[in-house]
Structures are given as C-alpha cells and as structure tokens.
Amino acid sequence: MKVFFDERQLGHAPTHYFRRGAAMPHQEQPQRAEILRDMLIGEGFEIAKPQDHGLAPIKAVHNPDYVDFLPDAHARFVESAGPEALAIPTMHPGVRRGKEPKDIHGQLGWWMTDTSTPLTEGSWDAAYWSAQTAVEAAETVAAGARAAYALCRPPGHHAMRDCANGFCFFNNACIAAEHLTQTYKKVALIDIDVHTGNGSLDILYERGDIFFCSLHPDPATYPTFYLGHADETGEGDGAGKSLNLLLEQGASQDDVLALLDKGIAAIRDFGAEALVVSLGFDMAADDPLAAVNVYPDGFAEMARRLTALHLPTALIQEGGYLGPSLADNAKSFLTTFREATA
C-alpha cells in the first residue's frame, strides 16, 4: 500500500484555541503527523512525497474565492494586528445550514464563530500540501493501485465549501472523492472519525455521484454540532445519497462496528466503484477528544470490514490526537489494511 506525506504539512503550528469559553493548548499539533509517520517507517511502509497537482483539484471542491483568500491571510493579519495576536475570526456575518443544538456551548457557536483554525505562518503551505497528499492518493488508486494512504495534516473533513472549520482548511477527503469521479462513475466516502463529517456533508449534499456516510455521536449534544442529523439524507440529485449513523456517547466498540456494517451495506446498495475513507483515530477510548470506546483490535476489525468491499480505496487521515494509543491504533488499522489489499 502506497503512503504519501510531505514535511511541509508540519508547518501549521497553532498554539491554542478556545473551547468551552477557555483558552487551551491546540489539539491539532504537528506531533500527531510525526507519530504516525514514525510508526509507518517502523512498520516498513515506504513514504513518498506527493506531486504538485496545483489548485484546480482544490477549487473543484471549494469556492475559488475562499481558496484565493488563504495564501496571504496570515501575513495580512499580522500586518494589521501585530505578531502577538491570535489569527482567528472575532465576528461573522450569520449562520449556515444546519440546526440549533441543545447544548449551550453549541448554541454559543451557532450565533458566534469557530476559533479552532488559527492561521500561523506555515498554515497555507501545510493545508496546500495536505490537499496535494490526498490528490496523490486518489491519483494512485485511479491508476490501478488497490489502496493508498494519505497522511493528511491538517485534517479536512470539517472544512465546508467556503469556510474553514474544526481544525480543517481544505476538505481533503472530498477533494480525493471528486478526483476519483474522473475515473469512476460512483464513488463512496465513509467517515469513521468520531466527529461529524459536517464539511463533507455540506459539500456533497446535492451530489448524486458520491455517496456519503458518517458515523458519529448526535450533533445535538456533541461537536461539531449543527450538521449530521439522521434526517439529513441529501437534496436534489443527492437525495438519499447521504447517511448519518448516530452513536450514543460512550458507545462500545461493538456498537461502532454494528453501525459500520450498516454504512458498508449502504455503500454496496449504492453500487460504489471506488471508496474514500475519512480515517479518524479519535474513535479511540483514550483519545483526548474521546466520545466512544474503540481499541486497537477494533480498528483492525474496521479495516477488515472495509477491505471486504473489494473496492479501490484512498485512505485520508483525519483526527486522532495525542492520546497514548494513537500509534497503536494507526498501526492496527493500516497494517491490517495493507495485508488485506496486498
């Protein structure tokens, strides 16, 4: 299984963000990717740098004006506010599609704004090469490889068509899925990160050629809030092509696997010809943002069930933070996937 990563993805280095009204150390650190990279090397994976596919694959998914805003946004902010200020938005024009949650912290976010994607000096390069890594994995699969893994960092599945959200700037998984539609008529994207793939849902909601499925706790009471409810099944050409499978907070590994089976069955019913996996290791019981209880053997079982689809597959890294089992969870999933697709 081919693996792709670019060291420039480490350049995004946010120090802190605001959560539940308090400043705290930012969870999405370069060390996440370093841990995963070092595990891959130790397990004999060969890591290649992605080629530069340019902005076209990114702009095929995102609003071009949003993409064009990002390259010099940090420099312009520093020029205006000074180097000690935190480059986050402190006002916004209104609300987006979704539902007001019941949780007070979610309600504050409904009327206020996300502080989780502060820009740093290296944010543009990191986000750009994270997207290129996803494109390279999709390109590799489209060229005939059974599977490829994109070690994307920063992650992407919360990024919407025209905004950054939830640690994410560009929606790498949707970029990969869009790229695969150049080769395959029907592509499926399944999101097994613990958080709602709200950005992917936003981007794919009216598309009929990409089936989207996300496993996550109820967004009424769990971040990222707003999108990902069971009754959000798509509109227009995308009617019936979105599937949100809701977990109880504290759900067991067996609960997660049972919902995964439902997602896999729906992908089969859709008739997918290729698969993208938004791969989050924050399903782990000891993840700093934990909400459910998956262990290394559970991640291996998830890999076995996904490979049983026998589809060319691009694995796109999403969450999974600095908990003690991060490397073990990644090792279990990725080595199992490699063995099953060899």
Side-chain angles (χ1 to χ4, degrees), residues 161-208:
R161 183 175 183 273
D162 58 359
C163 68
N165 179 263
F167 304 167
C168 303
F169 295 96
F170 293 144
N171 196 307
N172 303 310
C174 284
I175 290 168
E178 165 65 28
H179 200 70
L180 285 171
T181 62
Q182 299 175 19
T183 303
Y184 303 99
K185 291 182 179 180
K186 288 187 173 184
V187 176
L189 168 52
I190 187 165
D191 190 315
I192 58 173
D193 184 282
V194 77
H195 300 94
T196 312
N198 58 320
S200 302
L201 189 69
D202 174 69
I203 290 167
L204 302 176
Y205 205 64
E206 298 180 2
R207 292 191 63 153

Side-chain angles (χ1 to χ4, degrees), residues 21 35 319:
I35 288 171

Side-chain angles (χ1 to χ4, degrees), residues 34 67 197 220 332 335:
E34 293 171 337
V67 178
S332 294
T335 57

Side-chain angles (χ1 to χ4, degrees), residues 4-28:
F4 300 100
F5 176 67
D6 191 291
E7 296 290 330
R8 282 170 283 193
Q9 294 173 238
L10 301 174
H12 174 61
T15 57
H16 63 282
Y17 71 122
F18 294 91
R19 185 178 177 210
R20 298 186 181 273
M24 60 180 58
H26 204 288
Q27 299 282 354
E28 208 289 284

Side-chain angles (χ1 to χ4, degrees), residues 14 27-28 48 81 91 98 121 130 159 183 186 200 219 271 277 286 298 307 330:
Q27 299 282 354
E28 208 289 284
M91 60 184 72
E121 186 176 0
S130 188
T183 303
K186 288 187 173 184
S200 302
V277 179
D286 63 2
T307 56

Side-chain angles (χ1 to χ4, degrees), residues 238-262:
K241 303 302 190 300
S242 292
L243 176 63
N244 294 294
L245 299 171
L246 304 190
L247 292 157
E248 295 289 337
Q249 292 191 50
S252 70
Q253 183 164 284
D254 287 344
D255 295 332
V256 173
L257 291 171
L259 278 195
L260 178 64
D261 284 343
K262 290 185 178 181

